[in-house]
C-alpha cells in the first residue's frame, strides 16, 4: 500500500493531465528538490499575468500573488486523485506525505488492533515522515487532504502540521472516507498550528469524486 517504492513507481503511471500541472509530477516525499525551479517558472508566469491585467483592481492582483501547495496523505489512492485534481485546477505544486515506515496492508486493516488502530487510539502518536517540503515559506495557501481514520485525520497529518511554521497561512483541509462525514477531524487539527492560521472549513468527498466537483468546491471557497 503506502510504501515509498509504490510512490516512486506511481510516477510513471500518472495521467498526462497531471504532469502538465505545475509540480504535478512531484508525488513523492523525497522528490521535491526541483520544486524551487518550478516555483521560479510559476513566479515568471505570475508576473506576466499581472502585467496583462494591470488596472483591474488590487483585490484581483492579491489573488494572483497567492501560491498554493496541495499536500496529501493517501494509502489506497482515493485522496490522491482528488489532490491531483486540486493541484491541476490551481496550477499548484503537490506534495505527498510519505511515512518513513510504510503502511502495509496489515497495518491498515482497521479494527484488528494493528498499527493504524494503535496510532489513532493515541492522540500523541506522531509517525515519522520521509522527506520534507523545501520552501514552505513560499506558499501562502496549503490544501491538506487525508483519509478519515476512525473519525479523525491520520496522526501523520499531526506530524506534518507540527513540522512547519504555518503562521499567517491559509490551510484548507479536505478528506475522503468510506462513509463518515468530516466530523471534528479538521477542527481538531487547529490546535496543532499557530492562532494566526486562517482555516477554511474542511470538506469531505466520496471516493471517485470528479475533477469538476473539486473545481467547483475550490471556486466556492474562493481560492480558485
Ligand atoms: C485505519 C483506517 C480507519 C478508517 N476509519 C474510517 C472511518 O472511521 N470512517 C470511514 O468512513 N472510513 C474509514 N476508513 C476508510 C477510509 O477513510 C477510506 O477508504 C479513504 O477514502 C481511504 O483514502 P486513501 O485511499 O486516500 O487512503 C478507514 C480506513 C483505515 C485504513
Amino acid at each position: 500500500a503506502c510504501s515509498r517504492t509504490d510512490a516512486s513507481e506511481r510516477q510513471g503511471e500518472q495521467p498526462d493531465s497531471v504532469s502538465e500541472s505545475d509540480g504535478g509530477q512531484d508525488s513523492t516525499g523525497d522528490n521535491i528538490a526541483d520544486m524551487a525551479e518550478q516555483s521560479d517558472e510559476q513566479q515568471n508566469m505570475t508576473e506576466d499575468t499581472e502585467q496583462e491585467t494591470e488596472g483591474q483592481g488590487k483585490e484581483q492582483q492579491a489573488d494572483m500573488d497567492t501560491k498554493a501547495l496541495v499536500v496529501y496523505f493517501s494509502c489506497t489512492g482515493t485522496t490522491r486523485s482528488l489532490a491531483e485534481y486540486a493541484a491541476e485546477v490551481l496550477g499548484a505544486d503537490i506534495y505527498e506525505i510519505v511515512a518513513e515506515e510504510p503502511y502495509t496492508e496489515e497495518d491498515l486493516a482497521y479494527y484488528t488492533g494493528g498499527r493504524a488502530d494503535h496510532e489513532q487510539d493515541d492522540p500523541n502518536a506522531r509517525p515519522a515522515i520521509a522527506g520534507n517540503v523545501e520552501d514552505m515559506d513560499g506558499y501562502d495557501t496549503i490544501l491538506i487532504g487525508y483519509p478519515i481514520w476512525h473519525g479523525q485525520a491520520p496522526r501523520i497529518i499531526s506530524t506534518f502540521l507540527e513540522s512547519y511554521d504555518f503562521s499567517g497561512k491559509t490551510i484548507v483541509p479536505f478528506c475522503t472516507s468510506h462513509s463518515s462525514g468530516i466530523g471534528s477531524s479538521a477542527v481538531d487539527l487547529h490546535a496543532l498550528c499557530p492562532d494566526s492560521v486562517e482555516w477554511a472549513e474542511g470538506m469531505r468527498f466520496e471516493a471517485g469524486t470528479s475533477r469538476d466537483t473539486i473545481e467547483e468546491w475550490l471556486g466556492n471557497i474562493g481560492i480558485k
Side-chain angles (χ1 to χ4, degrees), residues 88-221:
E88 235 178 272
V89 166
L90 297 173
D93 291 334
I94 187 164
Y95 171 78
E96 178 181 12
I97 297 174
V98 177
E100 203 168 277
E101 188 187 332
Y103 288 84
T104 63
E105 243 174 78
E106 206 177 12
D107 291 339
L108 295 171
Y110 48 131
Y111 299 115
T112 61
R115 176 184 174 191
D117 287 348
H118 276 297
E119 288 176 0
Q120 294 311 101
D121 265 355
D122 175 7
N124 296 317
R126 292 293 182 271
I129 294 172
N132 63 291
V133 176
E134 272 177 15
D135 183 23
M136 188 59 89
D137 287 351
Y139 299 100
D140 36 28
T141 302
I142 315 293
L143 282 76
I144 184 156
Y146 56 87
I148 294 281
W149 281 9
H150 297 303
Q152 292 294 319
R155 300 295 175 205
I156 201 164
I157 299 296
S158 306
T159 312
F160 180 82
L161 290 174
E162 288 175 350
S163 299
Y164 301 90
D165 180 5
F166 292 101
S167 300
K169 299 184 194 298
T170 298
I171 304 185
V172 183
F174 66 97
C175 66
T176 66
S177 72
H178 175 66
S179 56
S180 302
I182 194 163
S184 65
S185 70
V187 171
D188 288 349
L189 301 173
H190 295 193
L192 305 172
C193 294
D195 289 346
S196 62
V197 167
E198 191 177 322
W199 288 88
E201 197 179 333
M203 186 65 127
R204 179 261 175 188
F205 297 98
E206 60 188 7
T209 293
S210 70
R211 186 187 189 281
D212 284 354
T213 302
I214 296 299
E215 186 162 12
E216 196 183 331
W217 165 60
L218 293 170
N220 287 342
I221 62 171

Side-chain angles (χ1 to χ4, degrees), residues 59-71:
E59 211 176 292
Q60 199 166 359
Q61 197 127 12
D63 281 350
M64 287 177 173
D65 288 340
T66 300
K67 196 169 170 215
L69 175 67
V70 179
V71 174

